[in-house]
């Protein structure tokens, strides 16, 4: 029997067909998330959105790792704020799905990686809060949507400073690395048990981790798209998949 790759669940987003609005919503995710796991030695599985807890628990129990992907904003009510914009749309279905998946993954102690929205979800789950809109909340901040405006996933708009000795600094084998910038929200106050381990030049938190958990890392940028221009980012996914091969981990 051939060696099986660890199964990594990737959370999906809701895709609305604006040309044919009568058609059902599609659940999907960018191919870059899938490719980052395949290239790191894992087997990706896209996870549907549903409020059916038994289904979600069954799916998580199949997985060796959970990958919380990027996407739309979290509902500010999750971190006890009122939305700034009345025309902003949120996905309660996605929020509920991902919170359930995260709870179950934590209970099983399987490796967890969060990107952009995924990192923000981690932080909110542990009681932290977000800047709803960086230009509004942090007037002197850098442009954290610079790469989006350039329509480039491989743009290295920001140079991140990594905390010496942190898990991510050890994995990437550096204390400084280039990153793209595709977000208008960011971590404001840290959730319980989480440590900030990377920052942009303006002090915005760009990565977090939980030292007391076997593997829980969140990154605010989109490193799944950066291996071709900054190969060190590939080590993050390789370490995530390698951890999934070793897990799940026993509770202390």
């Amino acid at each position: 029997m051939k060696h099986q790759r660890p199964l990594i669940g990737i959370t999906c987003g809701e895709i609305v067909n604006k040309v044919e609005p009568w058609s059902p919503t599609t659940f999907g995710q960018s191919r870059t998330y899938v490719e980052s796991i395949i290239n790191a030695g894992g087997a990706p599985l896209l996870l549907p959105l549903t409020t059916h807890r038994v289904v979600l628990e069954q799916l998580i129990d199949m997985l060796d790792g959970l990958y919380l992907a990027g996407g739309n904003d979290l509902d500010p009510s999750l971190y006890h704020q009122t939305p700034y914009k009345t025309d902003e749309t949120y996905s309660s279905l996605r929020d509920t799905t991902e919170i359930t998946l995260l709870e179950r993954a934590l209970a099983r102690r399987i490796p967890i990686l969060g990107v952009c929205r995924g990192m923000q979800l981690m932080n909110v789950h542990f009681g932290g809060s977000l800047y709803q809109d960086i230009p509004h909340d942090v007037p002197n901040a850098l442009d954290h949507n610079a790469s989006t405006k350039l329509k480039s996933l491989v743009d290295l708009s920001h140079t991140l400073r990594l905390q010496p000795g942190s898990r991510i600094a050890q994995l990437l084998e550096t204390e400084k690395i280039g990153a793209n910038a595709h977000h208008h929200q960011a971590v404001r106050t840290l959730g319980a048990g989480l440590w900030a381990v990377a920052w942009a030049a303006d002090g915005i938190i760009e990565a977090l981790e939980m030292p007391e958990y076997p593997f829980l890392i969140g990154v605010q940028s989109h490193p799944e798209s950066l291996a071709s221009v900054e190969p060190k980012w590939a080590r993050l996914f390789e370490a995530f998949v390698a951890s999934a091969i070793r897990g799940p981990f026993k509770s202390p």
Side-chain angles (χ1 to χ4, degrees):
M1 182 177 178
K2 293 183 178 179
H3 173 70
Q4 290 189 329
R5 289 173 168 231
L7 190 62
I8 306 296
I10 303 174
T11 56
C12 286
E14 291 183 277
I15 302 171
V16 178
N17 188 335
K18 294 182 179 180
V19 177
E20 301 288 352
W22 54 268
S23 63
T25 300
T26 298
F27 299 150
Q29 198 50 266
S30 169
R31 62 183 289 181
T32 53
Y33 294 99
V34 171
E35 291 168 349
S36 66
I37 294 302
I38 292 175
N39 293 338
L45 175 68
L46 294 180
L47 302 173
L49 303 181
T50 177
T51 57
H52 199 300
R53 191 176 185 91
V54 172
V55 170
L56 293 175
E57 291 180 351
Q58 182 175 339
L59 286 171
I60 279 289
D61 288 349
M62 294 168 49
L63 301 178
D64 301 300
L66 177 63
Y67 190 173
L68 297 167
N72 59 308
D73 294 351
L74 294 169
D75 186 337
S77 67
L78 294 173
Y79 48 98
H80 312 294
Q81 290 187 17
T82 301
Y84 291 169
K85 301 176 182 179
T86 57
D87 60 346
E88 187 71 43
T89 58
Y90 305 103
S91 172
S92 60
L93 177 59
R94 183 170 185 184
D95 291 346
T96 301
T97 298
E98 290 187 333
I99 290 169
T100 302
L101 290 170
L102 178 56
E103 288 174 347
R104 185 67 173 182
L106 288 166
R108 287 196 59 223
R109 293 179 65 79
I110 62 175
I112 304 169
L113 176 65
V115 165
C116 199
R117 169 193 162 92
M119 167 173 147
Q120 295 167 6
L121 180 81
M122 288 175 171
N123 189 61
V124 169
H125 176 74
F126 287 106
S129 65
L130 305 178
Y131 291 119
Q132 275 193 55
D133 186 65
I134 295 172
H136 176 276
D137 294 329
V138 192
N140 297 321
L142 298 172
D143 186 352
H144 285 265
N145 226 0
S147 301
T148 303
K149 294 174 181 176
L150 292 173
K151 301 184 187 300
S152 172
L153 288 170
V154 295
D155 167 61
L156 298 175
S157 292
H158 294 171
T159 298
L160 309 185
R161 174 177 59 87
L162 308 185
Q163 177 65 41
S166 63
R167 176 171 290 176
I168 193 168
Q170 293 176 26
L171 295 178
L172 301 184
E173 298 181 355
T174 186
E175 294 176 6
K176 187 181 293 186
I177 193 167
N180 48 22
H182 290 283
H183 62 107
H184 78 103
Q185 297 192 313
V187 168
R188 187 170 194 158
T189 58
L190 282 168
L194 298 174
W195 288 13
V197 290
W199 300 264
D202 57 3
I204 292 292
I205 296 172
E206 290 279 342
L208 54 76
E209 56 190 50
M210 178 172 278
E212 298 304 315
Y213 192 84
F215 189 106
L216 186 147
I217 295 177
V219 289
Q220 185 59 70
S221 61
H222 284 270
E224 74 279 3
S225 302
L226 293 177
S228 63
V229 292
E230 178 44 89
K232 289 179 181 178
W233 278 117
R235 299 174 188 172
L236 174 63
F237 300 98
E238 291 166 359
F240 174 47
V241 170
S243 185
I245 293 173
R246 296 191 298 271
F249 301 86
K250 294 181 180 179
S251 298

